[in-house]
Structures are given as C-alpha cells and as structure tokens.
Amino acid sequence: MSLLPDPKRRATIIALGLPIIGGMASQNLLNIVDTAMVGTLGDVALAATGMGGFANFMAISLIMGLSAGVQAIAARRFGEGKHDALATALNAGLIIAIVWAIPWMAALHAWAPDLFGLLLDDTSVVAEAVPYFRIRCLAALGVGFNFAFRGYWNGINQPKLYMSTLVVAHITNLFLNWVFIFGNLGAPEMGTSGAALASTIATYVASLTYIGLGVKLALNNGFLRSRPSKSDFKNLFRLTLPASIAQFFMASGYTALMWIVGQTGTAEMAAANILLTVTLVAILPGLALGFVAASLVGQALGRGDPDDAEAWGWDVVKIACIGLGIFGIPMMVTPELILSGFLHEESTMELAVAPLRLVGATIGIDAIGLVLLNAMYGAGNSRPVMVTGIVMQWFVGLPLAYLFGPVMGLGLLWIWGAMMVYRIGQSIIFARMWKQKRWSEIAI
C-alpha cells in the first residue's frame, strides 16, 4: 500500500476537501479569537463559556445527525444520477429541524438554572454560564437548518458553498463579539453574554445565506418543490437518529469531561477549555476530510462499486493522517507559544502544557477514526458507529478520566491521557470495521 493515493484520486480529495477545510479553518480561527476575547475577562469567564459551550453542544447535538443523514442520501442519489431528487432529503431535514427546535429551545431556557446547578459547584461560574447558555440555545433552529444544508452541499460535491457561508457567518460573529463583549459602537458591555449573542445572530445569518443559495442553485434538484414522502422521512430518520444519538453522547461526554475537570479546580477548567479549543484547530480539518470520504463513498456505492468505495475511505485516511500529524508538531514543540494567546495566568498555562503535547503526539492516529467514522455514515452504517463511539467514550475514556482525576488526584495530564486512550482505541476499531466491509451491503 503506497503512502499516498495516486495523483488523480489525490487531486479529487484535495479539490473537495480544501473548501471544507477552508471553511472549518475560518471556524477554528474565529473560535480561537472568540476564546481569546473572552480570556481577557479572566478564568471565571473562560470556565463559564467552556461549560456553557459544551452544554450547548450537548443540547443541539440531537439535531446534528441531520448532516450525516442528508449527506448520505444526497450522495447516493448523486451517484445514481437522480438529480431531480437530490434535495428531497434536504427538504425533509428542514421540516424535522422546525418541528424539533421550537419546543426544545423553550425547554432548555427553563431548565438552564437546574442544569448548571448540577454541573458546577462554583457559584460565580454558574452566574455567568446560565445566561450564556440560554442565549446560545436560541440558535437551535438555525443549527438544525445549517446542518441539513451542510450535508446536502457536501453530498453533491459543492463544498465551496458550505465554505463561503461559514466565512460570512464567522466574520459576522467576530464583529459582533467586538461589539457586544466590550460594548463598542454604543452597545452595552455584555461580557460572556455578548459572546453568546454574537454566536446566535451569526448562526441565523448562515441559515439565511444557505436558504438564498438553495433558492438560487437547488430549485431544479427539488429544493422547496419536492415533497418528502413517508418513506423519505423514514429513510432519513433511520440514518439520522443513530448519528444524532452518537453526537448527543459525544457532546454529553465532553460536558462530563468538563465536570470531571471542574472537580479538580476552576483553573483546571479554564485550561481544559483552551485545550479543547486548540485541539479543534487540528482535528476539524480531519473531520472535513471525513465529510469528503462520506460523499465519495456514498457516490461510489450509488454507482454500484463497493470496492471503489472502500478504496476512497483508505485514500482519504492517508491524507488525513499526514495532515493532522503535521498539525500536531507545533503542539509538541512550542505548546507555550500556542497557549500564551489564551491563558494569562502562568499557573493555568503550566497545567495545559503537557496535555497539549500529548494531543500533538497522538492526533495523527485520531485522524483514522475521524475519517472512517464519517465514511461509514456516508455508507449508511450509522448504528455500529454510534455504539462504538458511546462505548469507547463512556465506558473507557470517562471512567479512566474520573479515576485518574478526582479519585487519584493525578492531575489534568492523566485526565487528558485517558481521553487519548479512548480516541486511539476508537480509531483502531473503526479501521477494523472498514476493512470488514459489511457497510457495503446497506441500501439507502
């Protein structure tokens, strides 16, 4: 097996992947800037936005599986040449988002104080986390729309539209952060709540952009015209529900991780927030390549060529491992330089240095899992992926993290080491599942 795919296949992966990576790079950059802006408010603000952000991730995760479901169906129809039905799954996804989001936003707003009372002991962090969370949750409908559109554009090989929309949204978010966090242009100085408001508005800017692009470019593919049938909804639910459950447990797991870290101290929580933010800079390009794999695999299966689908999965893995391995080098060599832009307390920075080096050393292996997870979603193999992810995170990673942290008092490095064990183990299992090729027999 060669180290890289042949030039033609490599060019296809790069052509599809670069726009997605570019969009996610803009997301990473602005997440970093966002965190750096909040970081000037101190460790309490960082801890509040960290826990609030992951609680919000958990809250919206039940709709995030729409992306995988819509992408799998759109890619399969694209491979089958059924272009007039490409947007049927998108239409169904938008309807599901509307039905789900409106009551869910109301429930989350009411539950917020009780939720954070359970998650946090530090009352000063709770006081900032609750309003932050309530404002972020108002974006749930926009999130559902955006994930449905993301799956559609990626599934039909139009990732540039996904990238351009992200760029618009993130620039909006950055500008509004400056306005609302610090009270510029006559706006009130809202602090962490201002960061939440900026993110919420930017989410709906993305939704409106996606809808405009859909009207302009997707009407001939059935957007807003093709009425989904009961079987269309059933098919989408079958693919979406396991992916959504997996996203929920993953998000809940990261929230649980922040709770575990919080048992060791507020400074550790602030450091963990930065570690997770910086890690996303490296893993989201790998996730982007996973979206590419999902489309290429789904299209190959639509053409009736499972061998080509398998080959696309391995080809994308090769590129992702090399790319993420390169991203990990600065984490190992210059962790202090990376962390200095976010952490202003020297003691807090010292807590984060060794865990960041560990992430850098293992992130190339994590790329295998990131790509093949999405490749199997593209093949419609959602349920085994869900089970594997839940078992590895909740029955391996989190118990070890709790044992090493609050129980044994070994510190943040050991907690992070436990999570690396789960991520590497998951990659190994997904590689074995991909090689067994049972996913190639699934009809969509």
Side-chain angles (χ1 to χ4, degrees), residues 25-264:
S26 73
Q27 179 177 335
N28 288 334
L29 177 60
L30 291 174
N31 282 345
I32 289 172
V33 174
D34 186 29
T35 304
M37 287 179 172
V38 173
T40 63
L41 305 177
D43 281 355
V44 170
L46 275 175
T49 55
M51 180 58 83
F54 282 108
N56 178 63
F57 181 27
M58 178 177 67
I60 64 174
S61 61
L62 288 173
I63 201 66
M64 292 169 65
L66 274 177
S67 178
V70 171
Q71 182 170 356
I73 295 172
R76 191 68 68 97
R77 300 295 173 265
F78 188 89
E80 294 168 347
K82 298 178 180 178
H83 294 284
D84 58 338
L86 289 180
T88 302
L90 171 60
N91 295 337
L94 297 178
I95 293 170
I96 291 171
I98 293 170
V99 172
W100 166 84
I102 295 174
W104 188 232
M105 288 188 293
L108 292 172
H109 189 274
W111 294 338
D114 293 334
L115 174 63
F116 284 92
L118 292 173
L119 293 174
L120 296 167
D121 296 324
D122 190 326
T123 56
S124 62
V125 178
V126 172
E128 292 203 39
V130 169
Y132 177 89
F133 175 76
R134 279 176 159 168
I135 296 171
R136 287 293 302 272
C137 286
L138 293 176
L141 177 60
V143 169
F145 274 33
N146 295 350
F147 272 86
F149 274 108
R150 186 182 79 175
Y152 175 72
W153 295 126
N154 288 341
I156 65 168
N157 292 347
Q158 293 292 332
K160 291 181 180 179
L161 301 177
Y162 165 59
M163 180 190 72
S164 60
T165 303
L166 275 183
V167 170
V168 169
H170 295 324
I171 291 174
T172 301
N173 187 30
L174 176 60
F175 171 71
L176 294 179
N177 273 337
W178 175 77
V179 172
F180 293 127
I181 292 176
F182 305 112
N184 289 305
L185 300 180
E189 185 177 339
M190 299 175 64
T192 54
S193 293
L197 181 59
S199 296
T200 296
I201 293 173
T203 298
Y204 284 106
V205 168
S207 299
L208 292 173
T209 304
Y210 276 135
I211 292 170
L213 289 170
V215 170
K216 182 179 179 180
L217 301 173
L219 290 179
N220 290 336
N221 301 128
F223 177 59
L224 300 181
R225 292 180 174 177
S226 176
R227 179 179 297 180
S229 64
K230 289 183 180 180
S231 62
D232 290 324
F233 279 110
K234 183 178 179 180
N235 199 22
L236 183 59
F237 268 117
R238 178 175 63 85
L239 297 170
T240 293
L241 188 59
S244 292
I245 293 172
Q247 287 282 0
F248 174 77
F249 274 94
M250 184 182 72
S252 301
Y254 280 119
T255 304
L257 175 63
M258 291 294 287
W259 177 83
I260 289 170
V261 173
Q263 304 309 297
T264 64

Side-chain angles (χ1 to χ4, degrees), residues 388-401:
T388 300
I390 292 172
V391 169
M392 291 303 298
Q393 185 179 28
W394 282 88
F395 293 92
V396 178
L398 290 172
L400 286 176

